[in-house]
Amino acid sequence: MSWVTKTLSSTLGRKLIMALTGLFLILFLTGHVSGNLLLFKSDGGEAFNIYAKFMTTNPAVKLLSYLTYISIIGHVIYSIMLSSKNKAARPVGYAVSKASTNSSAASRNMGVLGTIILLFIVVHMQSFWAQMHWGSIPTVTYGGEEYKDLYTIVKAAFQIEWMVALYVIAMIFLGIHLSHGFASAFQTLGLNHKKYTPAIEGLGKLYCIVVPALFASMPLYIYFTQS
């Protein structure tokens, strides 16, 4: 085995991959929520549809999309591997009696939270991403140029109660997941300093509230205002 294989198969290596892919996905979420804020614009979906076309046709964005898919898969796989190894190495009696005093609820349930979020991603990708690429979507014309009307698909989806509920609940789980993952990623990378760590932890707490709340507000806004 090469040193690369040994490193990546070690616990430290797996945690490093989790940290790097996690931070990349945090950057992705930041960009994704920023673009989706166009759903709040009162223009019949024009700005959102133009944004959606740019995100699915620009070569640089498409490359970032592939990196995002790889990061999600890698994050999930290594999360399962780490959770399985930790569970196997932890005595049952110790886990039951001491877990609550040694770690937060979020850190103890990262595997469960990640699985729920993964299921949500599958539903999200099937409902919008797959529809945008291969579905039968109506088109609209702005300035003489034709665009897929993804806004209509989003609007229709968020008129369904269970879909809105799914998104809101999933964003709560995402916030809990991020509450541990944000600071943990920096810690894994060794970026700890008595001067900067409190600021990173504070930023993480703010991020895990604001970003999921913005995502959750979108289906709620459409459900209550666009019916």
Side-chain angles (χ1 to χ4, degrees):
M1 293 176 65
S2 67
W3 69 270
V4 175
T5 304
K6 289 181 179 179
T7 299
L8 295 182
S9 61
S10 68
T11 299
L12 180 60
R14 291 170 182 172
K15 288 183 177 180
L16 179 62
I17 291 175
M18 284 288 292
L20 292 174
T21 55
L23 289 176
F24 181 80
L25 292 175
I26 284 172
L27 290 175
F28 163 75
L29 287 174
T30 303
H32 194 41
V33 75
S34 299
N36 282 5
L37 289 175
L38 293 171
L39 288 169
F40 291 114
K41 194 169 182 179
S42 301
D43 61 354
E46 180 176 345
F48 179 75
N49 285 331
I50 293 173
Y51 160 74
K53 182 173 183 177
F54 171 78
M55 294 298 290
T56 53
T57 57
N58 183 274
V61 174
K62 291 177 74 172
L63 176 60
L64 287 175
S65 296
Y66 296 137
L67 291 175
T68 300
Y69 306 148
I70 294 171
S71 294
I72 292 174
I73 294 171
H75 199 73
V76 170
I77 290 175
Y78 277 89
S79 174
I80 293 172
M81 293 171 66
L82 282 171
S83 296
S84 299
K85 186 171 183 178
N86 291 339
K87 186 175 181 180
R90 186 184 299 124
V92 175
Y94 178 83
V96 172
S97 62
K98 298 294 185 180
S100 62
T101 60
N102 291 331
S103 59
S104 66
S107 64
R108 295 195 306 275
N109 295 286
M110 288 294 277
V112 175
L113 292 170
T115 300
I116 294 172
I117 294 168
L118 177 62
L119 292 174
F120 162 76
I121 290 174
V122 171
V123 174
H124 177 75
M125 296 284 280
Q126 190 280 328
S127 299
F128 303 120
W129 181 84
Q131 289 296 318
M132 183 65 180
H133 285 79
W134 303 295
S136 299
I137 296 182
T139 59
V140 289
T141 301
Y142 307 125
E145 185 174 352
E146 189 175 72
Y147 295 82
K148 290 185 177 180
D149 191 7
L150 184 62
Y151 178 78
T152 295
I153 303 299
V154 173
K155 182 179 175 180
F158 291 152
Q159 295 304 310
I160 304 171
E161 286 83 356
W162 72 262
M163 183 72 82
V164 175
L166 172 65
Y167 269 73
V168 172
I169 293 171
M171 291 307 101
I172 293 173
F173 286 130
L174 176 62
I176 296 172
H177 189 76
L178 289 171
S179 69
H180 172 72
F182 192 99
S184 178
F186 285 94
Q187 183 177 1
T188 298
L189 295 175
L191 302 176
N192 287 327
H193 191 281
K194 61 181 180 180
K195 183 177 180 180
Y196 305 115
T197 297
I200 292 174
E201 292 177 347
L203 179 61
K205 291 177 181 178
L206 181 64
Y207 186 93
C208 75
I209 293 173
V210 173
V211 171
L214 286 174
F215 274 123
S217 67
M218 296 171 191
L220 291 171
Y221 171 77
I222 291 175
Y223 180 78
F224 287 109
T225 66
Q226 305 297 311
S227 58

